Amino acid sequence: MRTIVRIWLLLSVLLVASGWILSAFHELNRPGYFIIFVLAAIPGIWHAGKTKWNPGTTARGVIHKLKKRFKRPAPFLFLILLMMSLVAGAIYEPFNGDSQAYRIPRVLHWLDAQQWHWISTLDPRMNVIGTGFEWLSAPLILFTRDDRLLFLINVASYAMLPGLIYSVFTRLGVMPRAAWWWMWILPSGWCFALQAGSVVNDSFAAVYALAAVDLALVAKDKGSIGDLWLSMLAAVLLTGAKQCDIPLVLPWIIAAWPALGLLRRHTIGATFVIAISLLISALPITILNLRHTGNWLGATANQNFLGSNSPFWGVVGNAFCVPLQNLMPPFFPMADRWNALMDRFVSTSFGHRFSSFEHFGQLCLLSHSVGEGDAGIGLGICVLIVISIFAAWKIKTKNWHHTDTIQIHLLRAAPWLSLVLFMAKDLAYENARQLSPYYALFFPLFLARPGHALLVRRRWWQWFALLLMLCTAGLLVISRSRPLFPAQTVMHQLQADHPHSRLITRLEFSFDAVPIAKKMDPEIMKALPPGEKVIGYATVSGSDEPELWYPFGQRSVRRMMPGDTADSLRSEDIHYVVVDNFALGASRQTIAQWMEQYHGEMAAQASCLVQPDLPPNYLYLVRLQP
């Protein structure tokens, strides 16, 4: 498994570095990537030729080993979760609000310009956030002309979690038997399993966090400079994925510190690796943010991350919000009342201290159930670890003495200090899912007692653990984004049989909302001439842009800015503009006033209901008059 992780890390380094390098040469295109891949293949082929392969490692041997491994219930259930995620990702088009609004569009803008560039937009998130997932997805979009395969990034990362968790846990003093059970249980956490078949970009970085610590400890034990370099690359890849992952560099520093002396013996190689590390880290986007916004995080877009509260109140507020999100049940029908209660609390004199939080203490803004966009590690695992801590504490173990080094003790505590740094600054609504790369590193502090090795042999504990994994499989089956049953057919029939049921009406809407939101209204696409090469898009943070780019590579989209005029749009050969109600609300105009200002006429219009209790979103296709 560690070999596969090493290959994944090298591939990630190659794709992230090539994104920035090709952008510098204005060659972010197919020929540019082809040259990069050929150059990268040469040392790969040379290394493969020098490697002595184990003659026993045959395809039949690998299959036999896998059959033996997955015969037991826990690994078999993980395999089921992995297969379910793969099937769900394959049969459904990718959809996530953030991905549709700015992550996929920003890649399309870069590929269209053949380089990274600061995009002219009212949504600063398209420019200031980390680029790690985007550089992994750019070649997939470029060569397939589609976004259907982006879920493979998360599936591949998900498949590597068990082996990495076991290796890190045993190195941090967790007994092998306990580590074996938790290596299968933790990947069934809701944030991991629900994101595995999606394009959400939180949990994929967990591989980098675990690999950074694991390979650093391997480098210390074996004196391996190659593993030290790879651990450094994993740590900086983590920072490039999301700025909120930067605190997780602390565990890597503690893990790698004893092995850093190896760098002095390999100065030339270390210089090259450090240079690559700077390129693939958060440094490039930090410099660009400073240049364009004056703030290293891009102050406007990341105001919830920066916050106006003091760090103290950030920690206090998140000490309430993070457990709340992780302890949320799979279904929470009282979400509306709870959210209203939180709104009233924030308006009080004491609650005003948390007004900088994005929807402080609220749950299920768009639904009444856990989804990939807001899930933490999950209620079940939280309950299991609490029960396990108390049960293991009561188990008497003979002749057990603390033999762990100071480094191991620090490594168990470091992720919790990283969490405090995270909570001091990250005031976002969905920070439970943003903590996905952190979760696995939290557990060795609790599991290091030898009582856990005896506890996991108890029949009741094993049944509880397997039940949790089965519940996660159930959540994947009824996932709102990618249900593994004919959801719309079943819901429409239930609605016909029970037309006055409020519960069934809401369930029907929940399963219909994603496909409706994903697809641009056919009337708008029909009215849009296929020969139009540039389309205008007037929005603030809308999620309809990816559909306007289809077919990828043959059309581009230009986001409108307040200073644009009808003449400036025509000078760019823009004859059609898609306008949404977000843009109209920001400019305080009606669509009639907007068309009068830009001398346009209505070509088509559509509406989409994204929440039963809220007004629908409106889209207008406006033809600019010559």
Side-chain angles (χ1 to χ4, degrees):
M1 175 55 70
R2 193 174 284 125
T3 300
I4 296 175
V5 172
R6 291 187 178 103
I7 294 173
W8 179 251
L9 291 176
L10 291 174
L11 178 61
S12 299
V13 170
L14 175 66
L15 294 181
V16 175
S18 62
W20 290 116
I21 293 171
L22 292 176
S23 291
F25 290 97
H26 205 280
E27 292 294 338
L28 193 66
N29 49 38
R30 288 183 174 184
Y33 273 110
F34 180 77
I35 293 172
I36 290 285
F37 293 157
V38 169
L39 292 176
I42 294 173
I45 295 172
W46 176 80
H47 178 74
K50 293 189 64 177
T51 301
K52 294 181 179 180
W53 297 100
N54 184 356
T57 308
T58 62
R60 181 177 297 178
V62 171
I63 293 174
H64 175 74
K65 185 177 180 180
L66 291 176
K67 283 183 178 180
K68 185 178 179 181
R69 168 171 293 181
F70 292 111
K71 281 179 65 175
R72 301 180 70 176
F76 179 73
L77 283 174
F78 171 77
L79 180 62
I80 293 297
L81 294 175
L82 179 63
M83 292 297 103
M84 292 172 70
S85 299
L86 184 62
V87 170
I91 63 178
Y92 286 102
E93 294 186 52
F95 179 83
N96 170 259
D98 290 348
S99 298
Q100 297 296 114
Y102 58 91
R103 291 200 176 275
I104 293 176
R106 72 198 301 223
V107 175
L108 296 172
H109 280 275
W110 301 341
L111 294 176
D112 184 58
Q114 299 190 45
Q115 64 174 353
W116 182 99
H117 67 286
W118 195 266
I119 301 166
S120 178
T121 175
L122 292 174
D123 188 354
R125 296 174 301 175
M126 290 187 69
N127 293 308
V128 303
I129 60 174
T131 57
F133 193 88
E134 284 80 345
W135 286 134
L136 297 185
S137 62
L140 285 172
I141 294 177
L142 179 64
F143 285 98
T144 65
R145 301 295 193 191
D146 207 337
D147 56 3
R148 289 296 298 267
L149 298 182
L150 298 187
F151 76 96
L152 292 177
I153 299 171
N154 279 333
V155 169
S157 301
Y158 186 63
M160 289 180 267
L161 282 180
L164 277 171
I165 290 172
Y166 180 83
S167 182
V168 171
F169 279 23
T170 52
R171 290 182 180 280
L172 295 187
V174 181
M175 294 293 187
R177 186 181 296 274
W180 185 89
W181 270 95
W182 283 97
M183 72 184 276
W184 305 113
I185 296 170
L186 283 179
S188 69
W190 296 345
C191 58
F192 299 121
L194 290 172
Q195 288 189 25
S198 75
V199 291
V200 183
N201 70 330
D202 300 290
S203 63
F204 91 103
V207 168
Y208 300 150
L210 290 165
V213 174
D214 181 53
L215 292 172
L217 294 175
V218 171
K220 182 197 71 170
D221 294 341
K222 297 184 178 180
S224 169
I225 185 64
D227 286 322
L228 178 61
W229 286 342
L230 277 176
S231 74
M232 181 187 303
L233 293 171
V236 295
L237 283 168
L238 180 66
T239 69
K242 277 193 170 184
Q243 288 97 326
C244 60
D245 296 335
I246 292 176
L248 276 180
V249 174
L250 177 61
W252 173 78
I253 293 175
I254 296 173
W257 190 264
L260 291 181
L262 294 171
L263 297 177
R264 291 194 296 268
R265 306 176 203 166
H266 305 81
T267 54
I268 296 178
T271 302
F272 175 75
V273 172
I274 291 173
I276 293 295
S277 298
L278 295 176
L279 180 62
I280 64 176
S281 69
L283 182 62
I285 197 65
T286 299
I287 294 173
L288 292 165
N289 285 344
L290 285 169
R291 176 184 175 187
H292 289 278
T293 71
N295 185 278
W296 72 282
L297 283 169
T300 302
N302 288 278
Q303 57 187 351
N304 293 317
F305 184 87
L306 289 172
S308 60
N309 286 334
S310 68
F312 172 78
W313 290 112
V315 173
V316 171
N318 275 311
F320 172 75
C321 292
V322 172
L324 178 70
Q325 293 180 45
N326 277 288
L327 294 174
M328 178 184 162
F331 301 97
F332 191 55
M334 299 176 62
D336 293 336
R337 271 185 271 179
W338 174 269
N339 293 342
L341 178 64
M342 288 295 102
D343 283 336
R344 288 196 296 272
F345 169 73
V346 173
S347 64
T348 64
S349 57
F350 179 77
H352 186 68
R353 293 179 173 86
F354 310 107
S355 59
S356 294
F357 278 74
E358 181 187 20
H359 308 295
F360 176 80
Q362 296 201 2
L363 298 172
C364 303
L365 283 182
L366 295 179
S367 68
H368 290 74
S369 61
V370 169
E372 63 196 31
D374 52 22
I377 194 67
L379 173 63
I381 289 182
C382 291
V383 172
L384 179 61
I385 188 62
V386 170
I387 293 175
S388 299
I389 291 171
F390 285 101
W393 188 269
K394 293 183 178 181
I395 296 176
K396 295 181 179 180
T397 53
K398 298 179 180 180
N399 302 323
W400 176 61
H401 302 283
H402 290 283
T403 58
D404 298 324
T405 63
I406 294 177
Q407 182 195 26
I408 297 302
H409 285 293
L410 289 175
L411 274 173
R412 292 176 193 155
W416 291 93
L417 179 57
S418 299
L419 173 63
V420 174
L421 298 175
F422 174 95
M423 294 195 302
K425 285 296 183 181
D426 194 319
L427 312 183
Y429 155 62
E430 296 171 343
N431 50 16
R433 69 168 171 85
Q434 292 176 353
L435 282 170
S436 298
Y438 291 69
Y439 287 123
L441 293 173
F442 291 154
F443 283 78
L445 182 66
F446 305 118
L447 299 177
R449 287 188 60 84
H452 288 281
L454 300 175
L455 176 64
V456 299
R457 304 181 70 167
R458 305 285 174 85
R459 185 75 63 176
W460 66 267
W461 190 95
Q462 294 181 5
W463 278 108
F464 192 0
L466 296 175
L467 179 62
L468 293 183
M469 299 183 73
L470 282 172
C471 289
T472 300
L475 280 180
L476 290 179
V477 171
I478 61 175
S479 168
R480 177 172 174 259
S481 302
R482 292 173 304 280
L484 293 176
F485 74 102
Q488 295 182 51
T489 301
V490 172
M491 288 299 111
H492 291 171
Q493 184 60 48
L494 287 174
Q495 177 65 20
D497 296 339
H498 307 279
H500 303 297
S501 172
R502 185 178 178 183
L503 174 61
I504 293 177
T505 299
R506 181 172 283 278
L507 286 174
E508 181 188 29
F509 170 79
S510 295
F511 286 110
D512 281 349
V514 168
I516 288 174
K518 169 66 181 176
K519 280 294 184 184
M520 182 74 69
D521 189 272
E523 292 302 319
I524 289 182
M525 299 306 294
K526 189 186 302 182
L528 189 60
E532 292 295 321
K533 298 298 182 182
V534 186
I535 306 297
Y537 184 35
T539 187
V540 176
S541 58
S543 58
D544 298 294
E545 182 173 343
E547 292 295 312
L548 297 175
W549 285 85
Y550 278 112
F552 289 169
Q554 299 182 28
R555 175 186 289 165
S556 61
V557 177
R558 154 85 147 77
R559 291 211 174 190
M560 287 186 59
M561 299 295 287
D564 291 334
T565 64
D567 290 337
S568 66
L569 294 176
R570 293 190 191 92
S571 68
E572 298 181 48
D573 290 329
I574 296 176
H575 307 115
Y576 286 84
V577 178
V578 173
V579 186
D580 66 17
N581 54 323
F582 299 109
L584 297 175
S587 62
R588 298 182 180 179
Q589 290 178 307
T590 64
I591 186 59
Q593 293 170 330
W594 194 97
M595 288 191 296
E596 181 180 357
Q597 177 183 349
Y598 289 95
H599 309 293
E601 59 184 9
M602 186 71 68
Q605 60 180 316
S607 64
C608 174
L609 188 66
V610 296
Q611 181 79 352
D613 305 324
L614 297 177
N617 289 339
Y618 291 95
L619 286 175
Y620 307 93
L621 179 63
V622 178
R623 181 190 303 110
L624 301 182
Q625 297 176 0

